[in-house]
Amino acid sequence: MTEKEQVLKIHTQQRGAALGDLFGIFFEDLNHAADGGLYAELVQNRSFEFDPVDHKSYHALTAWEKIERGDARAEITIGDHDPLHPRNPHYAVLDLHSSGGSAGIMNLGFNSGIPVRAGESYLFSVYVRCLDGSEKPLSITLEGVEGSIHAQSSIVAKGSEWTRYEASLTAERTDYSSRLVISGNWSGKVCLDMVSLFPAQTFLGRPGGLREDIALLLAGLKPKFMRFPGGCLVHDGSLNAEDRDSMYRWKNTLGDVSARPARRNNWSYNQTLGLGYYEYFQFCEDIGAKPIPVLPGGYDPHHKRMVPLDELGPWIADALDLIEFAAGDAGTEWGGIRAGLGHPEPFGLEYIGIGNEEVGEPFFERYAYFHKAIKEKYPHMKVINSSGPFAAGGEYERGWRSAREQGSDLVDEHYYQSPAWFLANIHRYKNFKADEPKVFLGEYASWGNKYYNALIEAAFMTGLENNAHAVGLACYAPLLCNADYANWKPDMIWFNNHEVYPTPNYYVQKLFMNHHGDQLLKAEASGFAAPVAPADTPITGKIAIAADASSFRVYDIELENSATGGKQGYPELDAIISALPDAEASGVKHTLELGEGAGDHYIIRLKVLRIAGSKGFKLYFGRQDERNQLWWEVGGWQNQDTMICSMVDGSAAVLTQSMFTVETDEEYSLELEVSGRNIRASINGILVNEAEDPLAAIEPLYYSASVEEASGDIILKAVNVQESVITAKLVLADWPSSGMAVRVYELSGHSLDAENSFEFPARVAPAERPLAVEGNSLSYEFPPHSVTVLRMSRTSSNG
């Protein structure tokens, strides 16, 4: 019997949904993505404003050390009288005493130090005032750890008023662990502030600009948009814009960098705000990405701080002013401010986000006021609502309900899940309606930077593309990570102070963005095998309960087999479990093992009472081992969640989430029902979580097809997640039959656990090659575990 030919037919004249601005990037200042990252400043703590509010280890001289050479001595103190700018009230006072030799102050930079390369130039600047008004020559050197001089210059400070001085230094040797030294060989006092050093070679050569190697990788993606500046740092903070730990207030980021107030970043480090809103808009313009700024909505879900409804006016005005800043002409107030900063023409703005990963009714109550005011003044502005940090559940539904009621243009969904979850949810958006708010998948990633993670994310992205009727925007997150300051993993691009490498995930994103397409084309497969359906496996395995940052009494435990009606009690178990620091020493267990589940359909009932602590517990079920299990988490995150979670091969997914807070000394009756792969969880008789944990049916090929209007090219993206070659005949229906030119861009031939690194930055990278094709069809072998883009163009003979 002849094997049936596998055919993938693309109907080149049958168009579907427009792809619009589907794939872009999200810049969030975590992992030192800005300071010590994209923002090219090489001096850490340049304005002596580090503070324990930012990080408990910080102080005003963090990253600074005094130097004393020969008989010279230095005393370094922090002053705050008559500062350079009241928003940056601190500065360094150098009290030098020299009868021979020199003394001064040294900056350690980020990572291992200040990176310099032989032959390259660096631009130094500093504000100085001499307390006695006399001239004070200062030596400026870039030195190795052992004191060797790589570059040097000097300035002569004079006068008792703050004055800015500049110098250029050219390195004679390469050293990625250098120090910046400012020294003098005299006796007296000078004050220093805003000590700065930038590479002369920044992205597009802008002084005080962006680190070129990182910026070029971002530009190379060719993103349709960039969401910024976060992230949790947008809304996690106080309500007072002048507080050091305030929410992210965009107006604080404009103007001269010496006037921008230092701020706590909620990822526990300092933000100089040197990379501010003007610079974000400028970078978006430089790389051809539409800006998507995200503003706080007057509610902090981390600490439940909220602006009274009758005081929302200034917050709403901030949103309206931002739109005017970006899109207003120079004759408007905020358009004029933008013009004064150096950009007379509007940047343009189509989207604005209110809130980030919002949970709780107070945000959605306030969102309505923002939405109404923005739409009244700017009816064509696309306003983005929020649906929380999980893919399903009560807060997710609350966000979508708000979006439908308010008429939001998009809803910002966030989720970080296991590869198994992504495979099982490739068609997640198939049944979403085209006439409702569109999905903005503003943060997503599978848990890892291995080739397998990238492969599965590529398959999922074909699902996003095929459902462009419902999905408007999508961006992987996080974008950047300084390897020595990692707050979160995985990340798309990793760097240190002198190197950068893109991950396999980066190359998948690049393939999809570089070959974006403008409109879907109908594509249909025939002759392929049916999806490889998983066995109908119910959730079975061990059951256990564990404390989380708390201690609990656990009692009245009962396990029921729903098929037989049989019940197993544990009358002898009235136990204390604890995850508090003193638990182990006192012999109290962290986890209580309860044996195996009862069949395919079972119910476990128990009572718990928190004795002490700040969070809740986890009830494990379907437990095969530590890397393969499910659990019901109550009192998770900041004691605000009840969630059903699944882990496959050590990678976790949240199946559903709702809000719930555990109280001390309050008894809770719990019931968890597991039927096949369906789960229901109740507290005190009230259903709080309901979820299915589906297993993926692996398809022979995940694919999407589109047309690029400018070139007329037909673009096919295909992902083979299986271990065998998939051979298919590709047919372009209604396409000239005299031939076409094909270029192939492909990731393949890598082990599933392959990763890039500083040592091997291109271990996983796509290959490109041409294909000569006669007619309007070709046979193609999609390699095992591959991501393939075929770009098909008319040959010159086709006109």
PDB file of all heavy atoms in Angstrom, residues 25 39 55 118 140 146 178 237 268 290 316 322 348 360 428 452 462 497 510 518 639 658 676 678 715 737 774:
ATOM      1  N   ILE A  25       8.463  43.438  21.800  1.00  0.00           N
ATOM      2  CA  ILE A  25       9.322  43.184  22.949  1.00  0.00           C
ATOM      3  C   ILE A  25       8.804  43.937  24.168  1.00  0.00           C
ATOM      4  O   ILE A  25       8.040  44.897  24.053  1.00  0.00           O
ATOM      5  CB  ILE A  25      10.793  43.563  22.681  1.00  0.00           C
ATOM      6  CG1 ILE A  25      10.926  45.052  22.308  1.00  0.00           C
ATOM      7  CG2 ILE A  25      11.387  42.677  21.613  1.00  0.00           C
ATOM      8  CD1 ILE A  25      12.371  45.512  22.118  1.00  0.00           C
ATOM      9  N   TYR A  39      21.305  50.925  29.558  1.00  0.00           N
ATOM     10  CA  TYR A  39      21.795  52.287  29.792  1.00  0.00           C
ATOM     11  C   TYR A  39      23.299  52.202  29.995  1.00  0.00           C
ATOM     12  O   TYR A  39      23.783  51.512  30.888  1.00  0.00           O
ATOM     13  CB  TYR A  39      21.101  52.871  31.019  1.00  0.00           C
ATOM     14  CG  TYR A  39      21.416  54.318  31.310  1.00  0.00           C
ATOM     15  CD1 TYR A  39      21.299  55.299  30.329  1.00  0.00           C
ATOM     16  CD2 TYR A  39      21.798  54.709  32.592  1.00  0.00           C
ATOM     17  CE1 TYR A  39      21.573  56.633  30.617  1.00  0.00           C
ATOM     18  CE2 TYR A  39      22.062  56.034  32.892  1.00  0.00           C
ATOM     19  CZ  TYR A  39      21.950  56.997  31.904  1.00  0.00           C
ATOM     20  OH  TYR A  39      22.209  58.325  32.191  1.00  0.00           O
ATOM     21  N   HIS A  55      18.046  48.868  48.787  1.00  0.00           N
ATOM     22  CA  HIS A  55      18.529  47.546  49.177  1.00  0.00           C
ATOM     23  C   HIS A  55      19.159  47.699  50.550  1.00  0.00           C
ATOM     24  O   HIS A  55      19.871  48.680  50.809  1.00  0.00           O
ATOM     25  CB  HIS A  55      19.541  47.020  48.161  1.00  0.00           C
ATOM     26  CG  HIS A  55      19.930  45.593  48.359  1.00  0.00           C
ATOM     27  ND1 HIS A  55      20.836  45.186  49.320  1.00  0.00           N
ATOM     28  CD2 HIS A  55      19.532  44.458  47.731  1.00  0.00           C
ATOM     29  CE1 HIS A  55      20.978  43.881  49.275  1.00  0.00           C
ATOM     30  NE2 HIS A  55      20.198  43.407  48.318  1.00  0.00           N
ATOM     31  N   ALA A 118      41.167  48.460  24.422  1.00  0.00           N
ATOM     32  CA  ALA A 118      42.287  49.201  23.847  1.00  0.00           C
ATOM     33  C   ALA A 118      41.846  49.961  22.605  1.00  0.00           C
ATOM     34  O   ALA A 118      41.176  49.408  21.725  1.00  0.00           O
ATOM     35  CB  ALA A 118      43.426  48.251  23.507  1.00  0.00           C
ATOM     36  N   ILE A 140      42.172  62.192  36.405  1.00  0.00           N
ATOM     37  CA  ILE A 140      41.125  61.216  36.072  1.00  0.00           C
ATOM     38  C   ILE A 140      41.810  60.037  35.387  1.00  0.00           C
ATOM     39  O   ILE A 140      42.399  60.192  34.314  1.00  0.00           O
ATOM     40  CB  ILE A 140      40.059  61.818  35.127  1.00  0.00           C
ATOM     41  CG1 ILE A 140      39.633  63.221  35.580  1.00  0.00           C
ATOM     42  CG2 ILE A 140      38.884  60.871  35.000  1.00  0.00           C
ATOM     43  CD1 ILE A 140      39.034  63.274  36.965  1.00  0.00           C
ATOM     44  N   GLU A 146      45.294  46.265  40.079  1.00  0.00           N
ATOM     45  CA  GLU A 146      46.622  46.350  40.704  1.00  0.00           C
ATOM     46  C   GLU A 146      47.222  47.748  40.589  1.00  0.00           C
ATOM     47  O   GLU A 146      48.325  48.003  41.078  1.00  0.00           O
ATOM     48  CB  GLU A 146      47.568  45.324  40.065  1.00  0.00           C
ATOM     49  CG  GLU A 146      48.128  45.700  38.702  1.00  0.00           C
ATOM     50  CD  GLU A 146      47.090  45.736  37.571  1.00  0.00           C
ATOM     51  OE1 GLU A 146      45.968  45.216  37.769  1.00  0.00           O
ATOM     52  OE2 GLU A 146      47.397  46.279  36.492  1.00  0.00           O
ATOM     53  N   SER A 178      38.300  47.272  35.315  1.00  0.00           N
ATOM     54  CA  SER A 178      38.971  48.525  35.650  1.00  0.00           C
ATOM     55  C   SER A 178      38.227  49.288  36.738  1.00  0.00           C
ATOM     56  O   SER A 178      37.087  48.964  37.096  1.00  0.00           O
ATOM     57  CB  SER A 178      39.087  49.409  34.407  1.00  0.00           C
ATOM     58  OG  SER A 178      39.749  48.738  33.361  1.00  0.00           O
ATOM     59  N   GLY A 237       4.551  50.471  44.907  1.00  0.00           N
ATOM     60  CA  GLY A 237       5.183  51.619  45.541  1.00  0.00           C
ATOM     61  C   GLY A 237       4.176  52.512  46.224  1.00  0.00           C
ATOM     62  O   GLY A 237       2.961  52.276  46.182  1.00  0.00           O
ATOM     63  N   SER A 268      14.748  45.462  44.241  1.00  0.00           N
ATOM     64  CA  SER A 268      15.765  45.627  45.287  1.00  0.00           C
ATOM     65  C   SER A 268      17.093  46.143  44.759  1.00  0.00           C
ATOM     66  O   SER A 268      18.162  45.613  45.075  1.00  0.00           O
ATOM     67  CB  SER A 268      15.974  44.312  46.068  1.00  0.00           C
ATOM     68  OG  SER A 268      14.786  43.945  46.724  1.00  0.00           O
ATOM     69  N   LYS A 290       6.622  50.492  17.782  1.00  0.00           N
ATOM     70  CA  LYS A 290       5.622  51.381  18.361  1.00  0.00           C
ATOM     71  C   LYS A 290       5.736  51.344  19.888  1.00  0.00           C
ATOM     72  O   LYS A 290       5.846  50.268  20.472  1.00  0.00           O
ATOM     73  CB  LYS A 290       4.217  50.958  17.928  1.00  0.00           C
ATOM     74  CG  LYS A 290       3.965  51.113  16.440  1.00  0.00           C
ATOM     75  CD  LYS A 290       2.565  50.687  16.054  1.00  0.00           C
ATOM     76  CE  LYS A 290       2.342  50.842  14.550  1.00  0.00           C
ATOM     77  NZ  LYS A 290       0.981  50.419  14.134  1.00  0.00           N
ATOM     78  N   ILE A 316      -5.031  60.523  36.486  1.00  0.00           N
ATOM     79  CA  ILE A 316      -5.605  60.499  35.138  1.00  0.00           C
ATOM     80  C   ILE A 316      -4.944  61.570  34.277  1.00  0.00           C
ATOM     81  O   ILE A 316      -4.642  61.352  33.092  1.00  0.00           O
ATOM     82  CB  ILE A 316      -7.125  60.687  35.212  1.00  0.00           C
ATOM     83  CG1 ILE A 316      -7.756  59.478  35.920  1.00  0.00           C
ATOM     84  CG2 ILE A 316      -7.727  60.880  33.824  1.00  0.00           C
ATOM     85  CD1 ILE A 316      -9.215  59.653  36.266  1.00  0.00           C
ATOM     86  N   LEU A 322       0.814  62.259  29.235  1.00  0.00           N
ATOM     87  CA  LEU A 322       1.752  61.375  28.546  1.00  0.00           C
ATOM     88  C   LEU A 322       1.379  61.240  27.077  1.00  0.00           C
ATOM     89  O   LEU A 322       2.245  61.280  26.193  1.00  0.00           O
ATOM     90  CB  LEU A 322       1.777  59.998  29.206  1.00  0.00           C
ATOM     91  CG  LEU A 322       2.621  58.935  28.487  1.00  0.00           C
ATOM     92  CD1 LEU A 322       4.074  59.374  28.382  1.00  0.00           C
ATOM     93  CD2 LEU A 322       2.519  57.588  29.171  1.00  0.00           C
ATOM     94  N   GLY A 348       4.480  59.931  18.259  1.00  0.00           N
ATOM     95  CA  GLY A 348       3.318  59.122  17.894  1.00  0.00           C
ATOM     96  C   GLY A 348       3.024  58.106  18.981  1.00  0.00           C
ATOM     97  O   GLY A 348       3.932  57.616  19.659  1.00  0.00           O
ATOM     98  N   GLY A 360      -7.680  42.162  42.191  1.00  0.00           N
ATOM     99  CA  GLY A 360      -8.464  42.869  43.192  1.00  0.00           C
ATOM    100  C   GLY A 360      -9.376  43.914  42.582  1.00  0.00           C
ATOM    101  O   GLY A 360      -9.008  44.619  41.630  1.00  0.00           O
ATOM    102  N   ARG A 428      -5.255  27.745  22.420  1.00  0.00           N
ATOM    103  CA  ARG A 428      -5.946  28.429  23.522  1.00  0.00           C
ATOM    104  C   ARG A 428      -6.914  29.504  23.036  1.00  0.00           C
ATOM    105  O   ARG A 428      -8.010  29.666  23.583  1.00  0.00           O
ATOM    106  CB  ARG A 428      -4.887  29.048  24.438  1.00  0.00           C
ATOM    107  CG  ARG A 428      -5.399  30.009  25.497  1.00  0.00           C
ATOM    108  CD  ARG A 428      -4.215  30.561  26.304  1.00  0.00           C
ATOM    109  NE  ARG A 428      -4.590  31.652  27.191  1.00  0.00           N
ATOM    110  CZ  ARG A 428      -5.048  31.488  28.426  1.00  0.00           C
ATOM    111  NH1 ARG A 428      -5.196  30.277  28.921  1.00  0.00           N
ATOM    112  NH2 ARG A 428      -5.348  32.530  29.183  1.00  0.00           N
ATOM    113  N   TYR A 452      14.878  23.238  23.897  1.00  0.00           N
ATOM    114  CA  TYR A 452      13.530  22.672  23.988  1.00  0.00           C
ATOM    115  C   TYR A 452      12.512  23.749  24.345  1.00  0.00           C
ATOM    116  O   TYR A 452      11.413  23.780  23.782  1.00  0.00           O
ATOM    117  CB  TYR A 452      13.495  21.555  25.027  1.00  0.00           C
ATOM    118  CG  TYR A 452      12.130  20.900  25.159  1.00  0.00           C
ATOM    119  CD1 TYR A 452      11.589  20.184  24.098  1.00  0.00           C
ATOM    120  CD2 TYR A 452      11.389  21.009  26.330  1.00  0.00           C
ATOM    121  CE1 TYR A 452      10.345  19.588  24.202  1.00  0.00           C
ATOM    122  CE2 TYR A 452      10.142  20.414  26.440  1.00  0.00           C
ATOM    123  CZ  TYR A 452       9.622  19.703  25.373  1.00  0.00           C
ATOM    124  OH  TYR A 452       8.387  19.111  25.475  1.00  0.00           O
ATOM    125  N   THR A 462       2.952  29.867  16.672  1.00  0.00           N
ATOM    126  CA  THR A 462       2.121  29.626  15.481  1.00  0.00           C
ATOM    127  C   THR A 462       0.647  29.693  15.867  1.00  0.00           C
ATOM    128  O   THR A 462      -0.187  30.142  15.077  1.00  0.00           O
ATOM    129  CB  THR A 462       2.436  28.268  14.840  1.00  0.00           C
ATOM    130  OG1 THR A 462       2.069  27.196  15.722  1.00  0.00           O
ATOM    131  CG2 THR A 462       3.899  28.149  14.459  1.00  0.00           C
ATOM    132  N   ASN A 497      29.359  42.853  31.952  1.00  0.00           N
ATOM    133  CA  ASN A 497      29.741  44.238  31.669  1.00  0.00           C
ATOM    134  C   ASN A 497      30.435  44.423  30.321  1.00  0.00           C
ATOM    135  O   ASN A 497      30.644  45.558  29.889  1.00  0.00           O
ATOM    136  CB  ASN A 497      30.613  44.803  32.798  1.00  0.00           C
ATOM    137  CG  ASN A 497      31.952  44.090  32.925  1.00  0.00           C
ATOM    138  OD1 ASN A 497      32.206  43.076  32.271  1.00  0.00           O
ATOM    139  ND2 ASN A 497      32.824  44.616  33.780  1.00  0.00           N
ATOM    140  N   LYS A 510      13.235  36.209  17.008  1.00  0.00           N
ATOM    141  CA  LYS A 510      13.756  36.925  15.844  1.00  0.00           C
ATOM    142  C   LYS A 510      13.192  36.356  14.546  1.00  0.00           C
ATOM    143  O   LYS A 510      12.830  37.114  13.625  1.00  0.00           O
ATOM    144  CB  LYS A 510      15.286  36.861  15.832  1.00  0.00           C
ATOM    145  CG  LYS A 510      15.918  37.670  14.708  1.00  0.00           C
ATOM    146  CD  LYS A 510      17.438  37.682  14.798  1.00  0.00           C
ATOM    147  CE  LYS A 510      18.029  38.536  13.691  1.00  0.00           C
ATOM    148  NZ  LYS A 510      19.520  38.597  13.760  1.00  0.00           N
ATOM    149  N   ASP A 518       1.905  40.265   7.144  1.00  0.00           N
ATOM    150  CA  ASP A 518       0.896  41.293   7.394  1.00  0.00           C
ATOM    151  C   ASP A 518      -0.511  40.734   7.497  1.00  0.00           C
ATOM    152  O   ASP A 518      -1.359  41.333   8.152  1.00  0.00           O
ATOM    153  CB  ASP A 518       0.937  42.340   6.273  1.00  0.00           C
ATOM    154  CG  ASP A 518       2.241  43.110   6.276  1.00  0.00           C
ATOM    155  OD1 ASP A 518       2.560  43.725   7.312  1.00  0.00           O
ATOM    156  OD2 ASP A 518       2.962  43.079   5.264  1.00  0.00           O
ATOM    157  N   ASN A 639       0.148  35.749  50.604  1.00  0.00           N
ATOM    158  CA  ASN A 639      -1.052  35.280  51.299  1.00  0.00           C
ATOM    159  C   ASN A 639      -2.302  35.891  50.671  1.00  0.00           C
ATOM    160  O   ASN A 639      -3.210  36.356  51.358  1.00  0.00           O
ATOM    161  CB  ASN A 639      -0.999  35.582  52.802  1.00  0.00           C
ATOM    162  CG  ASN A 639      -2.084  34.828  53.578  1.00  0.00           C
ATOM    163  OD1 ASN A 639      -2.667  33.866  53.086  1.00  0.00           O
ATOM    164  ND2 ASN A 639      -2.363  35.282  54.778  1.00  0.00           N
ATOM    165  N   SER A 658      -7.352  32.073  42.201  1.00  0.00           N
ATOM    166  CA  SER A 658      -8.327  33.021  42.737  1.00  0.00           C
ATOM    167  C   SER A 658      -7.741  33.627  44.005  1.00  0.00           C
ATOM    168  O   SER A 658      -6.711  33.161  44.513  1.00  0.00           O
ATOM    169  CB  SER A 658      -9.659  32.336  43.034  1.00  0.00           C
ATOM    170  OG  SER A 658     -10.279  31.887  41.841  1.00  0.00           O
ATOM    171  N   GLY A 676     -10.477  12.026  36.923  1.00  0.00           N
ATOM    172  CA  GLY A 676      -9.722  11.978  35.668  1.00  0.00           C
ATOM    173  C   GLY A 676      -8.609  12.999  35.723  1.00  0.00           C
ATOM    174  O   GLY A 676      -7.707  12.916  36.540  1.00  0.00           O
ATOM    175  N   ASN A 678      -9.573  16.352  35.892  1.00  0.00           N
ATOM    176  CA  ASN A 678     -10.303  17.536  36.346  1.00  0.00           C
ATOM    177  C   ASN A 678     -10.176  17.677  37.858  1.00  0.00           C
ATOM    178  O   ASN A 678     -10.208  16.685  38.596  1.00  0.00           O
ATOM    179  CB  ASN A 678     -11.769  17.442  35.939  1.00  0.00           C
ATOM    180  CG  ASN A 678     -11.942  17.457  34.435  1.00  0.00           C
ATOM    181  OD1 ASN A 678     -11.662  18.461  33.784  1.00  0.00           O
ATOM    182  ND2 ASN A 678     -12.375  16.334  33.876  1.00  0.00           N
ATOM    183  N   ILE A 715       5.033  33.666   3.450  1.00  0.00           N
ATOM    184  CA  ILE A 715       5.873  33.222   4.564  1.00  0.00           C
ATOM    185  C   ILE A 715       5.198  32.043   5.251  1.00  0.00           C
ATOM    186  O   ILE A 715       4.048  32.142   5.680  1.00  0.00           O
ATOM    187  CB  ILE A 715       6.093  34.369   5.572  1.00  0.00           C
ATOM    188  CG1 ILE A 715       6.784  35.556   4.896  1.00  0.00           C
ATOM    189  CG2 ILE A 715       6.906  33.882   6.766  1.00  0.00           C
ATOM    190  CD1 ILE A 715       6.781  36.818   5.731  1.00  0.00           C
ATOM    191  N   SER A 737       2.963  29.541 -11.901  1.00  0.00           N
ATOM    192  CA  SER A 737       3.603  28.220 -11.936  1.00  0.00           C
ATOM    193  C   SER A 737       4.986  28.234 -12.569  1.00  0.00           C
ATOM    194  O   SER A 737       5.610  27.190 -12.713  1.00  0.00           O
ATOM    195  CB  SER A 737       2.716  27.240 -12.715  1.00  0.00           C
ATOM    196  OG  SER A 737       2.500  27.709 -14.030  1.00  0.00           O
ATOM    197  N   GLU A 774      11.286  24.949  -9.094  1.00  0.00           N
ATOM    198  CA  GLU A 774      10.550  25.071 -10.343  1.00  0.00           C
ATOM    199  C   GLU A 774       9.066  24.951 -10.052  1.00  0.00           C
ATOM    200  O   GLU A 774       8.651  24.084  -9.280  1.00  0.00           O
ATOM    201  CB  GLU A 774      10.978  23.972 -11.323  1.00  0.00           C
ATOM    202  CG  GLU A 774      12.438  24.060 -11.767  1.00  0.00           C
ATOM    203  CD  GLU A 774      12.713  25.278 -12.625  1.00  0.00           C
ATOM    204  OE1 GLU A 774      11.764  25.745 -13.306  1.00  0.00           O
ATOM    205  OE2 GLU A 774      13.853  25.784 -12.598  1.00  0.00           O
TER     206      GLU A 774
END
